[in-house]
Structures are given as C-alpha cells and as structure tokens.
Amino acid sequence: MVSVKRSAVTPSKSRWARTFSKIFHIGDVTAKGSDDQIQETLSDEKMADNPIMNRKLPSDDEDEEIRDRAVKEAFLSKLFASLSTVKAAYAQLQFAQSPYDADGIQSADQIIVSELMNLSELKQCYLKNQLNETSPEATQISAEIQEQKSLLRTYEIMSKKLDYQLKLKNSEITFLKEKLAEANRDNKSLEKRLYSSGQLAVPDNIHLSGLSPSHFVAYLRQSIKSVRSFVRLLISEMESAGWDLDAAATSIEPDVFFWKPNHKCFAFESFVCKEMFDGFNYPNFSADHESLLEQKKQQQLFFDEFMELKSVRPADYLAWKPKSTFATFCQTKYLRLIHPKMESSLSGDLDQWKSVNSGEYPEVPFFLSFAEMAKRIWLLHCLAFSFDPKVSIFQVSKKSRFSEVYMESLSDEAFLSSDGTPENYPHVAFAVVPGFRIGKTVIQCQVYLH
C-alpha cells in the first residue's frame, strides 16, 4: 500500500489567497495551519498607496456645510419664484385695465397681495436665520417650476397685449383709409366745381387777349399729371425688365435719403422733368431758334400753334405733320430721355428707338404715353410764349433753404424731423418740377426736402 504525504498548505486555498492579493493589492497573503484558517499580512507601505483604503468619509462639519448651501439655494429659488409671480400678476393687472376687465384686475390684485405677504415672510425667515428645510432639493425644484410657469404666463399676457395693439392699429389704419377716401372724394367734387366755375378748367374758348395766369396753371397741372402717368409706366416697364429701381434712383439722385420707399418715384419724375423742360425759355426749346419776329407776331404764332394742337391726338398730329416743330420736339426729347440701352432692356430690341430716330412715330403704348406727355409740355410752352411778357421758368439748386414763396414740398416728413433751428431747417435734396414766373406771379416749383 502506497501512502501519499499531504502538503502543509492546501494548493487550492493557496491559489485563492494569491489571487485575492493580486486583485485588491493588499499585500502578501499566507495561509498556515489547517484548511479553515488563513492568515493575511498587509504591508504598511502598500496600504498607504491604496485609494479604497485611504478614502475619507465626510465629517459632520462638511455635511452641515453642504446642507446649509442647499437650504440657501432653495430659499433663493423660492424668492425668485415669488418675484416672477408678482411680475406676471402685474402684467395681468396692466392688461386688464385696457380694455377694462374687473375680474382680471381683482384676480391679479389678490395674487400680488398674496405674493407680497409671502415675500415678507421670506424676509423674516432670512432675518431670523430660520431657513430650515426638510427637503431643500425638492423645494428648489418646485420653486423653479413655479418661476418658469410665471415667466410663461408673463409672455402669454405680453403676446395678448401685442395682439390687441395690432388689432387697434389695424382699426386705425382702416379708419384713416376711409377718411382718406372721403377726402379724395371731397377733393374730386371740389375740383369738379372749380372746373365748372372756370377757375381750374382748361377753357375751350380761350383767346389771346384774355390769357391769365389761371390758364397757365391749369395747363401746368395737366402737364405734371401726364409726366407722372408716363413715369408710372416707365417704372412698371423697368420692374418687368428686372431693373433694380433703388440703384436706378440712386444713380439719378445720389446721396439722397428717401423718407418712404415709394418716394423714389420722385427721382424718376425729376429726371423726366429735367429733360423735358430743358430749353423751355427758348422758342421751340432751342437757342438756335431765337425768333426775329416782333413780340406781337411771335405771341400770335405760338398761340395759333397752341390752338391747332390742343384738341388733336398727338399720334394723329405727328402723322399729319411729321416735319412740324412739335414732331422735332418729340423726336429730340425721346432720343435724349430714352437711352438705346434702356430701350433694348425694356423692349428687347431697338426697333422703336430706330423708328423715332428716322422720323417715324410708332403707335405703341409706351411711345403714345410719351407723346401725350410731350404734347402737354409743348402746349404749356406755346402758351408761355403767348403771354406778354412771356412766362419764364426757374429751378432751385440743391441744398437751398426751403422757401414757402418759391417752393412746394413733396416730403412734409422733413418738417416733422426738424426742431426749427436754422441748422436743421429743411433743405432741398433735389427739384422735381420747375417753377414759373408770370410777371409778378410766382408758380412754386415742387421740391423734395431732407
């Protein structure tokens, strides 16, 4: 019988001890004696390097400091939540006053009184250092929720207030539109009465001996009206062709601030008037045509031409007298006013421009609108040379100080922005329609102010 001698340490337990030592790094582990007993020895140096064994538990003082901080944060959260509630209630109180809402005012008042009492209690707790909270974390979360609800309520009230103000403004706009329409109707009625009384009407039975400034003013109004009609058509054509109207207006009148976006049309009117009225003081708009006729004969000549053209369509007159002075005037002004590049951009080709340049006058809407404007200005020119002394034209220069005697403003906004001092008094940005003198009578020029 073979006997086997047992080792002093069980191999399995010895391996367990070594494995435990490697995992936890707590020093050498030795097992002595029986299988049920294991002795562990820990080195002092390795224990000093072990983070698990070295971790310190919070002391009572540290616990108290953390809790005190949490209590203070909870107190501040309650304070800000209460203030937000007061702010929301005050917003509701303001909103309920206009339009008047008695229930809304009473509800807001109760909330404000309640929150002011709550704030007073918080103040007393702070002064007496009684900020004890059984659960400061829960209190802080609850207070933050209350604050967010109050902020949301404030925004809702402000949104309602803005909606109400928008409706009020829309109502005011509707009312003003109705007043404007009523004023326009009254103006048209008054204009008809003035025309019927002969004060503004363009008389059919006008005589050379009976000319008066009112006749000239009546035809000037028609001329300005035809200029603006042509400018509207020109702007419409430019928009359809993809022009940058802002850039075009700036190129005509640079460094000008326009009070309203639609005021840019005055820059185009200024450009058209400058071209069309250029040379107005000369017979037939040219210094080369200075008449050698005596004054009376020249007056009669221009008056006869005025009477011949005033009742005829411009297209018919051009077809009837293609070599007349009026035809020459139309040709010259059209070629100066409408550049070939503009013509090509608006119509896609130069056929119309070439026709006018060759002395032909196409019956297309754009040229017919121009011809109507040209006729009105030509009639005004003929009428001016029918007066004795003849009517003279005048312009005002840029940066001139506004004068009510010689100028009519097209931008009254300039007066609203002025404080009345000489430095800030409105000045001329550019002239739109020229002015005229008939003896001692002055017809104001129209200007755009800044």
Side-chain angles (χ1 to χ4, degrees):
M1 185 173 184
V2 180
S3 62
V4 180
K5 188 176 180 180
R6 295 180 61 187
S7 171
V9 180
T10 304
S12 62
K13 290 185 179 181
S14 178
R15 287 195 300 273
W16 179 88
R18 287 194 298 271
T19 302
F20 187 90
S21 175
K22 289 179 180 179
I23 293 174
F24 293 97
H25 302 287
I26 57 176
D28 298 331
V29 178
T30 58
K32 296 181 181 179
S34 65
D35 295 343
D36 298 331
Q37 188 176 13
I38 299 176
Q39 294 183 4
E40 301 176 352
T41 60
L42 305 174
S43 70
D44 293 339
E45 182 178 354
K46 290 186 177 181
M47 271 200 68
D49 295 336
N50 192 297
I52 296 176
M53 302 302 295
N54 282 334
R55 187 177 65 185
K56 294 181 180 180
L57 295 175
S59 64
D60 292 341
D61 292 341
E62 291 173 339
D63 284 342
E64 185 64 26
E65 183 180 351
I66 293 172
R67 176 174 175 75
D68 185 58
R69 183 184 304 152
V71 169
K72 289 181 179 179
E73 289 177 355
F75 172 80
L76 289 175
S77 296
K78 289 196 296 182
L79 178 64
F80 283 110
S82 185
L83 291 172
S84 297
T85 304
V86 171
K87 181 179 179 181
Y90 184 70
Q92 179 183 345
L93 183 65
Q94 286 184 315
F95 180 71
Q97 290 177 351
S98 178
Y100 185 78
D101 180 7
D103 294 335
I105 292 175
Q106 185 176 2
S107 173
D109 182 69
Q110 290 175 350
I111 294 173
I112 291 174
V113 171
S114 174
E115 289 302 323
L116 289 177
M117 293 176 63
N118 185 36
L119 287 170
S120 178
E121 292 176 1
L122 290 173
K123 176 183 176 182
Q124 294 301 320
C125 290
Y126 179 79
L127 293 176
K128 295 177 182 179
N129 199 19
Q130 297 175 351
L131 305 181
N132 296 328
E133 289 283 352
T134 56
S135 179
E137 293 82 3
T139 301
Q140 183 175 358
I141 293 173
S142 176
E144 289 177 354
I145 292 174
Q146 180 186 345
E147 182 180 4
Q148 294 301 320
K149 286 183 178 180
S150 297
L151 289 173
L152 181 61
R153 176 61 180 161
T154 302
Y155 294 144
E156 288 175 351
I157 293 171
M158 293 302 298
S159 176
K160 289 180 180 179
K161 185 176 181 179
L162 291 174
D163 287 339
Y164 173 75
Q165 290 177 346
L166 178 61
K167 291 178 181 178
L168 186 63
K169 292 295 182 183
N170 288 335
S171 177
E172 290 178 359
I173 290 171
T174 302
F175 173 75
L176 291 173
K177 284 182 177 179
E178 291 175 355
K179 294 290 289 182
L180 178 61
E182 183 182 352
N184 288 335
R185 288 193 297 268
D186 291 342
N187 287 339
K188 287 181 179 179
S189 176
L190 181 60
E191 189 173 329
K192 287 181 180 178
R193 289 169 58 187
L194 290 171
Y195 273 117
S196 61
S197 66
Q199 296 182 49
L200 286 180
V202 179
D204 292 329
N205 57 344
I206 187 172
H207 299 287
L208 180 61
S209 59
L211 286 179
S212 68
S214 62
H215 296 138
F216 187 85
V217 171
Y219 275 94
L220 176 60
R221 289 178 181 273
Q222 284 200 350
S223 300
I224 296 172
K225 186 177 180 181
S226 67
V227 167
R228 288 177 177 159
S229 177
F230 174 74
V231 167
R232 283 195 296 269
L233 178 60
L234 177 63
I235 291 175
S236 177
E237 293 288 332
M238 292 171 71
E239 286 179 328
S240 300
W243 280 57
D244 186 342
L245 296 181
D246 291 343
T250 302
S251 66
I252 296 171
E253 296 295 344
D255 303 323
V256 172
F257 168 76
F258 293 95
W259 297 101
K260 294 180 180 178
N262 60 351
H263 282 185
K264 291 182 176 66
C265 68
F266 292 129
F268 295 98
E269 287 183 24
S270 172
F271 171 71
V272 172
C273 285
K274 283 178 183 177
E275 292 295 338
M276 297 302 295
F277 284 97
D278 184 37
F280 187 91
N281 282 337
Y282 298 109
N284 301 331
F285 285 84
S286 174
D288 298 334
H289 290 84
E290 278 289 0
S291 176
L292 299 177
L293 297 175
E294 59 180 270
Q295 180 69 17
K296 290 295 182 182
K297 289 184 179 181
Q298 180 175 273
Q299 284 179 252
Q300 189 64 54
L301 181 65
F302 276 101
F303 186 76
D304 292 342
E305 191 169 353
F306 168 82
M307 294 299 294
E308 182 180 69
L309 178 60
K310 76 181 186 69
S311 301
V312 182
R313 286 179 65 245
D316 294 340
Y317 192 88
L318 290 171
W320 175 36
K321 292 186 174 182
K323 302 297 183 181
S324 64
T325 51
F326 172 65
T328 303
F329 171 74
C330 284
Q331 181 188 44
T332 303
K333 292 298 184 180
Y334 185 86
L335 297 179
R336 286 183 57 181
L337 190 64
I338 308 300
H339 192 275
K341 289 185 179 180
M342 175 182 283
E343 179 81 35
S344 177
S345 173
L346 298 181
S347 60
D349 53 51
L350 289 175
D351 294 344
Q352 185 172 300
W353 193 90
K354 290 178 180 178
S355 295
V356 177
N357 190 37
S358 63
E360 298 177 2
Y361 305 102
E363 288 204 36
V364 294
F366 186 77
F367 182 79
L368 290 177
S369 177
F370 168 81
E372 181 63 29
M373 174 183 66
K375 172 192 169 180
R376 298 297 176 185
I377 294 175
W378 184 259
L379 288 176
L380 191 70
H381 174 71
C382 291
L383 197 60
F385 275 81
S386 300
F387 278 81
D388 184 18
K390 65 183 180 183
V391 179
S392 61
I393 192 172
F394 71 89
Q395 291 274 15
V396 293
S397 58
K398 294 182 178 181
K399 299 183 180 180
S400 299
R401 186 175 178 179
F402 178 76
S403 168
E404 294 182 354
V405 177
Y406 295 98
M407 306 175 199
E408 177 186 352
S409 171
L410 296 175
S411 53
D412 291 339
E413 294 83 358
F415 295 102
L416 298 177
S417 65
S418 173
D419 57 8
T421 60
E423 297 79 10
N424 295 322
Y425 198 73
H427 288 70
V428 176
F430 58 90
V432 181
V433 179
F436 299 88
R437 291 187 183 90
I438 309 175
K440 295 181 179 181
T441 302
V442 174
I443 301 174
Q444 297 166 310
C445 62
Q446 296 182 357
V447 296
Y448 195 82
L449 303 177
H450 63 73

